[in-house]
Amino acid sequence: MAESYADIVLCTALDIGEHLLKNGAEVSRVEDTIERICFAYGAAHVESFSITTLIVASVRMKDGEFSEQMRHVKTSAMNLHRVEKLNNISRLICQEHIPVSEAREMIEKYKRSKPYPEVIQILGQVLVVFGFTLFFGGTWFDSLAAAIIALVVALVSKIDLPFNQGNMQVIIRSFIAGALSEISFNIGFSQNLDSVLIGTIMMLIPGLAFGTAVYDMFNGNLISGMMRALQCLVVAIFIAIGYAAALWLV
């Protein structure tokens, strides 16, 4: 059967909502965006419900056409560049009423976009770790050691292996960072092990995701906020496991 106009409109709205959720947007933003897009394309009534792993929405057009769809969001990450681009598309739809076909082309273009080349992103991680190590009382040698460790961890995270995915990647990165921090201290390259450890941890902790979780809870989305907070807690536990195993073994 051919898709109805209601199906196409809701599918377009869910495409944007799904990728907003995948890239770290708040649940309230996702629901509001879906509803605004559907109304902009002529909907008479829209309902949407979202948690961190699922979006369910329905739309009824003015001519009586009805559509109900859902999306299962299996993975998520923090990418505010994509969130901004997708927000811009939703604003264009609501303000300028661009055709659905044009909106879908823009979604395909931006859903995998990156603000900077990978080299710049890796350099950013290195500079952040260097600065945090100094901030937490490390010497220049400590910061240099932490920066080198951050570079190694960033390069390892780019390796596409079956076991280097999801939470296993968190454990692997934490283990490598902890082991190299201990080794650099044992050979005398760094002088303050605690500062190096804290500096390297700063590139791993999900601080932005936890902030989004708190925002969701304050905004009344308790289920989504608690789920995000639990995800952050699990990541923190895996980070602790990786560092603890490295320090114990090395």
Side-chain angles (χ1 to χ4, degrees):
M1 295 179 63
E3 281 188 307
S4 67
Y5 182 66
D7 290 331
I8 295 172
V9 167
L10 186 56
C11 182
T12 302
L14 283 178
D15 281 343
I16 293 180
E18 176 187 359
H19 290 286
L20 283 172
L21 195 60
K22 277 185 176 180
N23 291 286
E26 307 91 341
V27 166
S28 57
R29 183 193 299 269
V30 174
E31 295 175 348
D32 183 63
T33 298
I34 292 171
E35 292 171 5
R36 286 176 181 271
I37 290 173
C38 291
F39 282 126
Y41 282 128
H45 183 76
V46 184
E47 294 287 350
S48 64
F49 173 75
S50 176
I51 55 176
T52 56
T53 57
L54 180 70
I55 306 174
V56 180
S58 63
V59 60
R60 187 178 73 250
M61 309 305 289
K62 293 178 182 178
D63 60 1
E65 278 189 354
F66 178 82
S67 179
E68 184 175 12
Q69 300 175 31
M70 75 174 190
R71 297 289 176 89
H72 181 200
V73 181
K74 297 180 180 179
T75 59
S76 62
M78 298 303 298
N79 191 321
L80 298 185
H81 169 74
R82 291 179 190 165
V83 171
E84 179 188 8
K85 293 298 183 182
L86 292 165
N87 275 335
N88 289 339
I89 297 173
S90 67
R91 291 191 185 98
L92 283 173
I93 292 172
C94 296
Q95 295 172 4
E96 301 181 15
H97 303 286
I98 61 175
V100 176
S101 58
E102 184 179 343
R104 294 180 73 87
E105 289 177 3
M106 295 176 69
I107 294 168
E108 289 298 320
K109 176 182 177 182
Y110 289 123
K111 70 182 184 180
R112 295 183 180 88
S113 62
K114 297 180 180 179
Y116 307 105
E118 287 190 353
V119 174
I120 302 299
Q121 295 180 41
I122 292 173
L123 180 61
Q125 292 184 53
V126 171
L127 292 176
V128 164
V129 171
F130 184 91
F132 269 116
T133 306
L134 277 179
F135 177 79
F136 286 112
T139 64
W140 289 100
F141 280 105
D142 295 333
S143 298
L144 179 60
I148 295 172
I149 293 168
L151 176 61
V152 173
V153 172
L155 293 175
V156 169
S157 66
K158 300 298 180 182
I159 300 175
D160 189 15
L161 295 173
F163 58 83
N164 194 22
Q165 303 291 335
N167 289 326
M168 276 304 300
Q169 186 183 78
V170 175
I171 295 178
I172 292 170
R173 294 172 70 188
S174 302
F175 179 84
I176 293 173
L180 293 179
S181 299
E182 182 73 27
I183 290 171
S184 70
F185 177 74
N186 290 342
I187 65 177
F189 187 75
S190 60
Q191 300 168 349
N192 299 288
L193 178 60
D194 291 346
S195 298
V196 177
L197 289 172
I198 296 172
T200 56
I201 284 175
M202 295 305 293
M203 69 174 173
L204 300 173
I205 58 174
L208 199 56
F210 184 74
T212 304
V214 174
Y215 179 87
D216 281 340
M217 285 188 281
F218 274 109
N219 209 34
N221 297 300
L222 296 179
I223 296 175
S224 299
M226 291 173 67
M227 288 178 67
R228 284 188 191 273
L230 183 59
Q231 288 176 342
C232 294
L233 177 61
V234 170
V235 171
I237 291 172
F238 283 133
I239 291 172
I241 290 172
Y243 272 89
L247 296 178
W248 178 66
L249 290 173
V250 178

